[in-house]
Amino acid sequence: MVDHLAMSNDVTVTLPRIQERIPTVVVDDAHVVYRVYRGAAGNQSPVAAFRRMVTRTSAPNVREVHAVRGVTFTAYRGEAIGLIGTNGSGKSTLLRAIAGLLPVERGAVYTQGQPSLLGVNAALLNDLPGERNVMLGCLAMGMPPAEAQRKLPEIIEFSGINQRGDFSSLPMRTYSSGMSARLRFSIAAAKQHDVLLIDEALATGDKRFRKRSEKRVRELRESAGTVFLVSHQLSSVRDTCERTIWLESGEIRMDGPTEEVLPAYEAFTNGK
Amino acid sequence: MANALADPDSGLTPAQLATRYGLRIAGERPSLSRYTRQLWQYRHFISAYAHAKLTASFSNARLGQLWQVLTPLTNAAVYFLIFGLILKQNRGMDNFLAYLTAGVFIFNFTQTSVQNGTQAISGNLGLIRALHFPRACLPLAITVQQFQQLIGSLLVLFGIVLATGEPLTLMWLMLVPAILLQTIFNAGLTMTMARLGAKATDLKQVMPFILRAWMYGSGVLYSVELFAEALPGWATTVLQFNPMLVYIELVRVALLENAPLLNPSLPLTWLIALGWTIVMGLGGYLYFWRGEQEYGRG
């Protein structure tokens, strides 16, 4: 193995290997600890809460959860990576750390551009019609108004919310949970992201929509982006991702090609 | 060995690999000038969001946008009934109705900005976690939205002022800079409240009391002459620097012929107003920016 830096004066020798792999996300021994406030209500009296404030002792109602323990991996441009693991294994926490929404306790997460996290709870304005939400979402992703206007019909079409009549002009609170999840995904997928993080967002749609969105994920990936997909639906991971990371108790159990990781994971979950 | 290398092909550690390809630490705060430029690029989002919020707030009401004018009108009517007709706070003032309405509307502009500001981050966590935009868009959108509300209120106020026999003078032009200064002040204050409200969730419970006290200290509901009579000298001096009192007095001077004022000199009043605008506007922006990477966490 040759060291690039040491031989920097004859790069031409080492360059024409395969196409250069450009990293988009580098996670270096990341630990994420988050604190849960159980609220003063818990099982303690107001007097106890007041005494704690006066004596300035740290609240006993704060619990620390060490959700990600020393994860290291590198994701490259054009990759779609599935994140699997049993409930509470730290998948969503890891995604939020990559999105910069949770600070890392130790280690570091480096990203290219600004990763966008798409989750099921990504709320829009429920009192406004779908099409207004599309416009707002597009503007919030930094599109100029003209481009947002141009993409509007495309996004509505992709989401398929108009299949049962003109829903796009109705307030979003009238939508079913599947419909609003579809609209949210369609908005986020309308823009080219350097790094797109999808947290179970595809699970809510029906089968037809899932097929369409899986296709869209592949397109996004091909046009030089990196996609992370958290899903409990292994078929969805199998169809979209060629690489899979299996997290268990906040640590990487396995990281490799999907066709190797999935069978191992299935054997693990079935064996339990 | 294999574990320490991020990229087995190049033999670099993760940190070296990241610097080599120009990757940045996730969720890093942009520099102030970069942040300001980003914010400018998102101006369309700010106005669209403000407009959407305004529409949404009336979407369940049958009279819809009409409430934009009806709400301040009803407000003024209730206060006039209690403080003007029942408690007789007019103390022989020429035009107490217009005096009161001006105070109520101008104070309300800041009050609602502050109230909504505490919710700007904590009430939009879904949006914040899903999409990346400069977070200052949210408190700024609130300011824009409240400004649009104020325009409706001002129309009502103009009607009341003219109907109660005040002349239309050149002094009315003073309204433009006065409202502009107050709007910038509000933007700064809303950003401050947004950051405070993002962390301290108890703030929402405390705010009504602070705002109530602030209102009583701003001479909204009664003549400001009351302060000079009832309070010791130092307290009156302190109140003269109360930003809300100052902004309200500027509007009263502009619209009313014989409004009683607490601040004796008009240039000084302008100076205090300008000072508060700069301190709050700039300070609030800096304070909000310094917390940029924290919003949506937890």
Side-chain angles (χ1 to χ4, degrees):
Chain A
M1 203 141 298
V2 251
D3 194 340
H4 275 305
L5 293 182
M7 298 178 61
S8 53
N9 30 7
D10 55 0
V11 185
T12 37
V13 185
T14 46
L15 255 185
R17 262 183 317 171
I18 14 163
Q19 202 186 8
E20 196 186 14
R21 300 211 295 166
I22 300 169
T24 49
V25 177
V26 175
V27 180
D28 180 10
D29 192 30
H31 290 258
V32 181
V33 177
Y34 61 88
R35 289 162 189 85
V36 187
Y37 298 88
R38 286 188 298 176
N43 48 4
Q44 49 165 322
S45 66
V47 182
F50 184 71
R51 188 183 303 134
R52 212 181 52 246
M53 272 156 75
V54 174
T55 55
R56 292 195 157 249
T57 47
S58 74
N61 58 350
V62 177
R63 266 183 56 189
E64 291 194 346
V65 180
H66 199 157
V68 173
R69 304 157 185 264
V71 166
T72 303
F73 68 89
T74 307
Y76 295 89
R77 186 173 281 184
E79 265 186 329
I81 301 176
L83 273 177
I84 55 170
T86 46
N87 284 338
S89 55
K91 310 180 293 285
S92 300
T93 310
L94 182 60
L95 275 201
R96 288 172 63 182
I98 295 173
L101 294 172
L102 276 177
V104 286
E105 192 86 356
R106 258 178 298 143
V109 177
Y110 306 91
T111 59
Q112 183 177 62
Q114 182 55 67
S116 307
L117 174 62
L118 183 66
V120 267
N121 53 357
L124 297 165
L125 289 176
N126 280 328
D127 278 331
L128 287 183
E131 47 195 17
R132 286 289 288 280
N133 272 300
V134 173
M135 279 300 284
L136 268 182
C138 288
L139 292 175
M141 292 190 298
M143 282 187 200
E147 191 186 343
Q149 194 71 56
R150 207 175 54 239
K151 289 235 163 125
L152 175 66
E154 210 177 296
I155 294 170
I156 299 280
E157 165 77 28
F158 182 84
S159 71
I161 54 168
N162 274 352
Q163 280 162 358
R164 309 225 188 295
D166 181 22
F167 265 97
S168 64
S169 55
L170 286 181
M172 272 189 76
R173 64 184 131 83
T174 61
Y175 291 14
S176 74
S177 57
M179 277 167 74
S180 49
R182 264 152 47 184
L183 189 62
R184 280 194 292 263
F185 175 80
S186 312
I187 294 172
K191 193 185 166 237
Q192 186 56 58
H193 300 272
D194 290 329
V195 179
L196 181 62
L197 314 165
I198 303 173
D199 191 356
E200 293 277 8
L202 305 184
T204 31
D206 51 28
K207 196 171 175 195
R208 280 228 308 279
F209 182 73
R210 211 157 58 230
K211 286 273 166 275
R212 264 211 308 276
S213 47
E214 280 165 6
K215 184 164 158 268
R216 184 77 187 112
V217 168
R218 279 194 290 274
E219 283 167 17
L220 283 174
R221 201 182 78 197
E222 276 154 22
S223 46
T226 305
V227 178
F228 283 85
L229 179 69
V230 164
S231 185
H232 284 287
Q233 240 147 6
L234 295 185
S235 62
S236 186
V237 174
R238 192 174 287 123
D239 291 350
T240 36
C241 311
E242 80 278 7
R243 177 179 168 191
T244 299
I245 294 175
W246 170 15
L247 278 178
E248 210 55 62
S249 317
E251 285 166 358
I252 293 188
R253 179 67 83 91
M254 222 175 152
D255 175 4
T258 302
E259 59 266 27
E260 287 173 26
V261 179
L262 282 190
Y265 176 69
E266 272 164 333
F268 174 79
T269 44
N270 291 337
K272 256 189 180 175
Chain B
M1 176 70 186
N3 265 342
L5 298 179
D7 185 11
D9 298 340
S10 59
L12 297 172
T13 64
Q16 286 170 331
L17 188 73
T19 21
R20 182 167 161 198
Y21 286 96
L23 305 191
R24 291 224 222 94
I25 297 217
E28 205 182 29
R29 181 181 67 207
S31 72
L32 188 60
S33 62
R34 211 174 103 101
Y35 190 62
T36 312
R37 252 177 294 131
Q38 279 180 2
L39 207 52
W40 174 247
Q41 283 165 359
Y42 275 84
R43 60 191 183 280
H44 301 292
F45 173 61
I46 297 177
S47 65
Y49 190 73
H51 192 68
K53 275 285 199 195
L54 198 66
T55 332
S57 61
F58 297 116
S59 70
N60 273 327
R62 214 168 268 212
L63 291 178
Q65 300 290 319
L66 207 57
W67 280 109
Q68 220 172 318
V69 180
L70 281 181
T71 313
L73 205 57
T74 337
N75 236 333
V78 169
Y79 281 120
F80 184 67
L81 179 74
I82 295 172
F83 289 91
L85 300 179
I86 300 175
L87 293 177
K88 300 241 179 345
Q89 282 298 316
N90 51 344
R91 300 156 61 89
M93 201 190 300
D94 284 350
N95 192 351
F96 186 66
L97 175 61
Y99 180 87
L100 177 83
T101 320
V104 169
F105 288 177
I106 293 300
F107 189 80
N108 203 39
F109 178 29
T110 299
Q111 184 178 22
T112 6
S113 298
V114 167
Q115 276 168 346
N116 296 351
T118 51
Q119 302 283 304
I121 299 296
S122 47
N124 284 310
L125 284 181
L127 192 65
I128 287 174
R129 285 176 182 158
L131 301 170
H132 260 280
F133 52 89
R135 307 314 188 198
C137 288
L138 295 172
L140 286 178
I142 287 174
T143 313
V144 173
Q145 181 202 350
Q146 290 309 317
F147 181 76
Q148 286 173 331
Q149 296 260 35
L150 178 75
I151 300 297
S153 304
L154 282 181
L155 291 178
V156 173
L157 180 62
F158 292 162
I160 291 175
V161 167
L162 290 175
T164 48
E166 299 282 343
L168 184 66
T169 64
L170 275 180
M171 288 288 271
W172 281 47
L173 286 178
M174 259 176 52
L175 271 182
V176 179
I179 300 281
L180 187 73
L181 289 186
Q182 196 199 351
T183 309
I184 299 173
F185 173 83
N186 280 357
L189 190 58
T190 313
M191 285 191 274
T192 311
M193 296 318 294
R195 179 165 175 194
L196 288 174
K199 278 271 173 243
T201 38
D202 297 3
L203 202 64
K204 196 180 152 200
Q205 272 70 33
V206 184
M207 274 329 278
F209 305 108
I210 297 177
L211 286 170
R212 194 83 46 83
W214 200 6
M215 179 157 90
Y216 292 136
S218 306
V220 175
L221 303 174
Y222 34 74
S223 167
V224 287
E225 284 169 333
L226 211 70
F227 289 137
E229 288 166 20
L231 293 175
W234 61 268
T236 317
T237 319
V238 168
L239 281 183
Q240 281 173 348
F241 285 91
N242 172 1
M244 280 325 293
L245 182 107
V246 168
Y247 292 124
I248 291 174
E249 297 226 307
L250 285 179
V251 170
R252 283 176 179 162
V253 168
L255 294 179
L256 308 176
E257 289 279 89
N258 305 309
L261 300 173
L262 193 64
N263 276 301
S265 110
L266 190 58
L268 183 68
T269 316
W270 275 109
L271 222 60
I272 299 173
L274 186 69
W276 271 114
T277 300
I278 294 171
V279 168
M280 200 67 241
L282 218 59
Y285 182 56
L286 286 176
Y287 180 66
F288 188 88
W289 163 73
R290 287 187 60 86
E292 176 76 4
Q293 76 277 34
E294 294 164 15
Y295 307 130
R297 279 184 178 175

